Amino acid sequence: MSQHNHRPLSLAALTVIELTPPQMVECAAEAGYDFVGLRLLPATAHEVRYDFIGDTPLKRETLARLKDTGVRVLDAEILRLKPDTDVAGYKPMLETAAELGARYLLVAGNDPDEVRTAEHLAQLCDLAAPFGLTPSLEPMPWTDAKDVTQAARIVKASGKQNTGLIVDPIHFDRAGSSTDELRSLPREYFGYLQFCDAPAGRPKDLETLLYQARCERLIPGEGGLDLAGILLALPDGVPISIEVPMETWAKTAKAVERARRLREATLAVLDKTYGRN
């Protein structure tokens, strides 16, 4: 067992999206994770919207499960920066994220104006700083922050220290990015990374691209993504958020069973990647 098996692992919300947030915490604990990611704001219109803002029963229950299990919150999702985003309006979500003990906020860039996106990100960083939160931009090829190079430009332009990038292997690959690009970026941009696998063949159309990313990824080590290359291009020891939505598998396997299997598969990839050192 290498030292990399002690790397903090987090169960991302999308992996077990059928569960409520308190159930996600329990699932993470039962499957042996150190952290959990919680989706406080839905990513799409048809997702469940949970009542987390203010003193709600759901928030109290989530806090109680975190306390009981010792699982901590790595990141809170999802903040979208759009042309008309009123960043101040996100303050209640940030308060909740901080109360739950989150370290990072997952940010998507949905604004074609890069300068405005950087300004909004800077405002968000200022809002997040008193809470000890780090808003981190996740490049996705179908958003306006398409790849790591563009997202890094936005992060740099924000001029803030408490921000960075989230690398997700499927988005990284589908955007055609290279590990050389990753190696060239400032180390402090990378607070954590997401982890998953996917078929080697890149989808030709947007519909398939979105479907794979949101519904049918693969267990780490069972697809064609260069996971070892990505790991080795990033700082050692950064926490890993395992984000592997697999709707077909979810029909036959309980969340905790999937979470366990994904954790074991990730540890196996880490061992294989670093085991030769």
Side-chain angles (χ1 to χ4, degrees):
M1 193 189 242
S2 76
Q3 65 190 24
H4 293 279
N5 276 354
H6 301 301
R7 187 190 289 229
L9 297 181
S10 181
L11 179 62
L14 191 57
T15 305
V16 288
I17 200 73
E18 76 270 26
L19 303 182
T20 65
Q23 289 171 335
M24 286 178 183
V25 175
E26 288 216 327
C27 179
E30 220 178 306
Y33 288 76
D34 313 274
F35 288 94
V36 68
L38 295 177
R39 191 162 274 191
L40 304 185
L41 295 173
T44 60
H46 59 258
E47 257 182 44
V48 181
R49 181 180 281 272
Y50 291 108
D51 187 12
F52 258 115
I53 308 305
D55 184 21
T56 69
L58 185 79
K59 188 169 76 180
R60 286 199 297 273
E61 190 187 351
T62 306
L63 283 164
R65 302 275 175 103
L66 289 166
K67 192 163 177 261
D68 291 347
T69 58
V71 169
R72 289 162 294 161
V73 178
L74 183 68
D75 61 339
E77 303 178 53
I78 175 175
L79 300 172
R80 294 193 180 280
L81 298 180
K82 301 177 182 176
D84 60 349
T85 295
D86 169 25
V87 172
Y90 278 141
K91 192 176 182 186
M93 187 270 202
L94 269 56
E95 283 169 348
T96 297
E99 209 178 327
L100 294 165
R103 301 179 178 193
Y104 299 95
L105 299 167
L106 192 150
V107 179
N110 297 109
D111 182 348
D113 185 332
E114 221 175 274
V115 173
R116 186 170 50 208
T117 304
E119 283 168 5
H120 277 151
L121 181 60
Q123 290 167 17
L124 186 60
C125 289
D126 287 344
L127 196 64
F131 297 112
L133 290 162
T134 301
S136 303
L137 190 57
E138 180 182 3
M140 299 173 237
W142 61 84
T143 64
D144 295 301
K146 294 189 185 315
D147 56 38
V148 287
T149 300
Q150 187 186 12
R153 267 203 315 270
I154 294 167
V155 163
K156 187 179 182 186
S158 79
K160 301 296 173 181
Q161 298 300 306
N162 64 322
T163 183
L165 296 180
I166 302 165
V167 174
D168 182 324
I170 190 170
H171 305 327
F172 182 81
D173 178 82
R174 289 353 186 193
S177 295
S178 75
T179 50
D180 288 343
E181 287 174 79
L182 276 188
R183 272 191 290 271
S184 72
L185 294 171
R187 303 292 82 188
E188 61 271 17
Y189 281 9
F190 305 105
Y192 73 108
L193 81 144
Q194 292 181 337
F195 217 59
C196 66
D197 216 329
R202 291 179 185 153
K204 301 281 188 282
D205 61 290
L206 181 62
E207 199 183 347
T208 312
L209 181 78
L210 285 169
Y211 176 73
Q212 265 187 12
R214 289 177 177 168
C215 309
E216 291 294 346
R217 301 189 190 187
L218 293 175
I219 294 169
E222 294 188 6
L225 303 184
D226 180 17
L227 297 179
I230 292 168
L231 284 167
L232 294 170
L234 291 171
D236 258 11
V238 295
I240 290 175
S241 170
I242 301 175
E243 187 177 71
V244 188
M246 292 176 71
E247 284 183 359
T248 308
W249 187 24
K251 290 188 176 101
T252 58
K254 287 193 165 66
V256 70
E257 186 189 321
R258 300 188 330 262
R260 247 189 224 124
R261 173 84 185 82
L262 290 167
R263 180 178 170 273
E264 285 159 10
T266 298
L267 292 175
V269 171
L270 289 172
D271 257 3
K272 201 173 161 193
T273 303
Y274 298 102
R276 300 185 192 92
N277 292 359

